[in-house]
Amino acid sequence: MSSLDAPLSNVTEPMSAEALEARLREIGEARYHHRHPFQLALQGGELDRCQVRAWALNRYYYQAMIPIKDATLMARLDDPDWRREWRSRLVDHDGEAPGDGGIERWLKLTDGLGLERDMVRSTRFILPATRFAVEAYTHFVRDRTLLEAVASSLTELFSPKVIGTRVSGMLEHYDFVAEETLAYFRPRLTQAPHDAERALAYVREHARRADQQQAVLEALVFKCDVLWTMLDALQHAYIEGHRPPGAWDGEYGLIEGAAP
């Protein structure tokens, strides 16, 4: 049985903060979506323009919901220092003014791929599994304990490695992608590690009992499953050809004059 398939063992005795962090990093190495076939195909130049567009269109919904998720979490923090800390995440995604922030940069990515903004923003044509997975994540953050909500963000510990590989691979293999198209990712190379280290500090400080540590581990597994599920849906619909009714057909919503 591979580490990817191995079940999560129960925490029966409290671990040290160092041991807990080590377990979290093991989960990320085994379950983060850097191993997913769609991610490997994306960075390896194996997708066509339609498949890359489908990825960007569906991922937009995740990007757009992140500040909503973070605002929900921030409202639950009773420590003003932690609220100020978490508030930076909202600024990262929403920006300080119109035309700024990560969501706007993602829309520039979809612009560069030839997708109409109104179509992207509407989210009407995303895959059902994308919508279910993203909303499951926002509901998790809203409904589970604050500790679990914070722990679910720890996938950011592993994102810089994927971002660097994704950007370099896409620039190398796709002539329809430019550095300006991928501008979303540059700030994330510094934002994500900062955010992850602060969330990790919170988890290390507050997850002391065995049941709390178990919940933290399971929260990270859940978030990895969310990201994996989103790529599963893309693989099924746009590589294996099982596109569900109502999902983007590869033609609707292209900017006039965009290459097919």
Side-chain angles (χ1 to χ4, degrees):
M1 180 180 293
S2 71
S3 60
L4 193 65
D5 300 321
L8 181 66
S9 58
N10 290 330
V11 179
T12 56
E13 296 292 337
M15 295 180 282
S16 66
E18 292 74 19
L20 176 61
E21 179 178 342
R23 289 282 300 276
L24 289 164
R25 293 186 182 277
E26 288 172 3
I27 289 170
E29 179 57 34
R31 294 175 178 263
Y32 192 57
H33 66 286
H34 65 302
R35 296 176 178 271
H36 196 285
F38 193 95
Q39 168 63 27
L40 297 176
L42 175 66
Q43 68 197 34
E46 299 172 21
L47 303 184
D48 61 28
R49 193 188 303 255
C50 173
Q51 291 163 337
V52 175
R53 284 168 168 161
W55 163 75
L57 171 66
N58 278 268
R59 179 80 180 199
Y60 171 78
Y61 188 55
Y62 176 81
Q63 303 301 143
M65 293 298 288
I66 288 296
I68 295 172
K69 177 272 296 185
D70 284 326
T72 300
L73 193 154
M74 189 174 70
R76 303 175 64 191
L77 291 164
D78 57 11
D79 184 331
D81 289 336
W82 276 106
R83 285 201 300 274
R84 281 188 288 270
E85 181 69 42
W86 214 267
R87 188 171 61 201
S88 67
R89 294 169 177 254
L90 301 183
V91 175
D92 289 346
H93 286 84
D94 285 340
E96 294 281 14
D100 186 24
I103 295 174
E104 177 65 23
R105 285 192 297 274
W106 196 270
L107 287 168
K108 289 178 180 177
L109 186 158
T110 57
D111 289 347
L113 292 174
L115 295 172
E116 293 179 350
R117 282 200 175 199
D118 286 347
M119 189 271 286
V120 174
R121 281 178 169 149
S122 77
T123 75
R124 288 177 54 202
F125 302 99
I126 64 174
L127 296 167
T130 299
R131 193 177 305 280
F132 295 154
V134 172
E135 293 181 4
Y137 181 36
T138 59
H139 295 166
F140 184 96
V141 171
R142 181 193 67 194
D143 298 335
R144 303 297 283 264
T145 67
L146 181 58
L147 182 58
E148 290 171 288
V150 172
S152 69
S153 74
L154 289 176
T155 48
E156 289 179 320
L157 286 168
F158 319 109
S159 64
K161 178 169 64 175
V162 171
I163 288 172
T165 304
R166 178 187 294 149
V167 169
S168 61
M170 292 181 72
L171 288 174
E172 177 183 356
H173 296 296
Y174 301 119
D175 59 7
F176 53 87
V177 170
E179 288 199 27
E180 296 76 18
T181 312
L182 303 179
Y184 166 83
F185 296 106
R186 284 196 294 270
R188 295 306 298 161
L189 288 170
T190 54
Q191 292 168 353
H194 171 269
D195 292 346
E197 289 302 326
R198 296 303 296 141
L200 181 61
Y202 185 96
V203 168
R204 285 173 58 108
E205 178 182 349
H206 292 87
R208 298 177 180 270
R209 301 192 314 263
D211 63 314
Q212 292 172 325
Q213 293 173 345
Q214 179 72 30
V216 160
L217 298 176
E218 291 178 358
L220 180 56
V221 169
F222 167 79
K223 177 60 183 307
C224 288
D225 287 348
V226 166
L227 297 172
W228 195 278
T229 296
M230 291 170 62
L231 293 183
D232 272 351
L234 287 164
Q235 179 88 14
H236 190 67
Y238 293 101
I239 292 182
E240 298 172 7
H242 307 292
R243 182 172 56 86
W248 185 60
D249 63 3
E251 298 181 4
Y252 178 79
L254 296 183
I255 296 171
E256 184 175 353

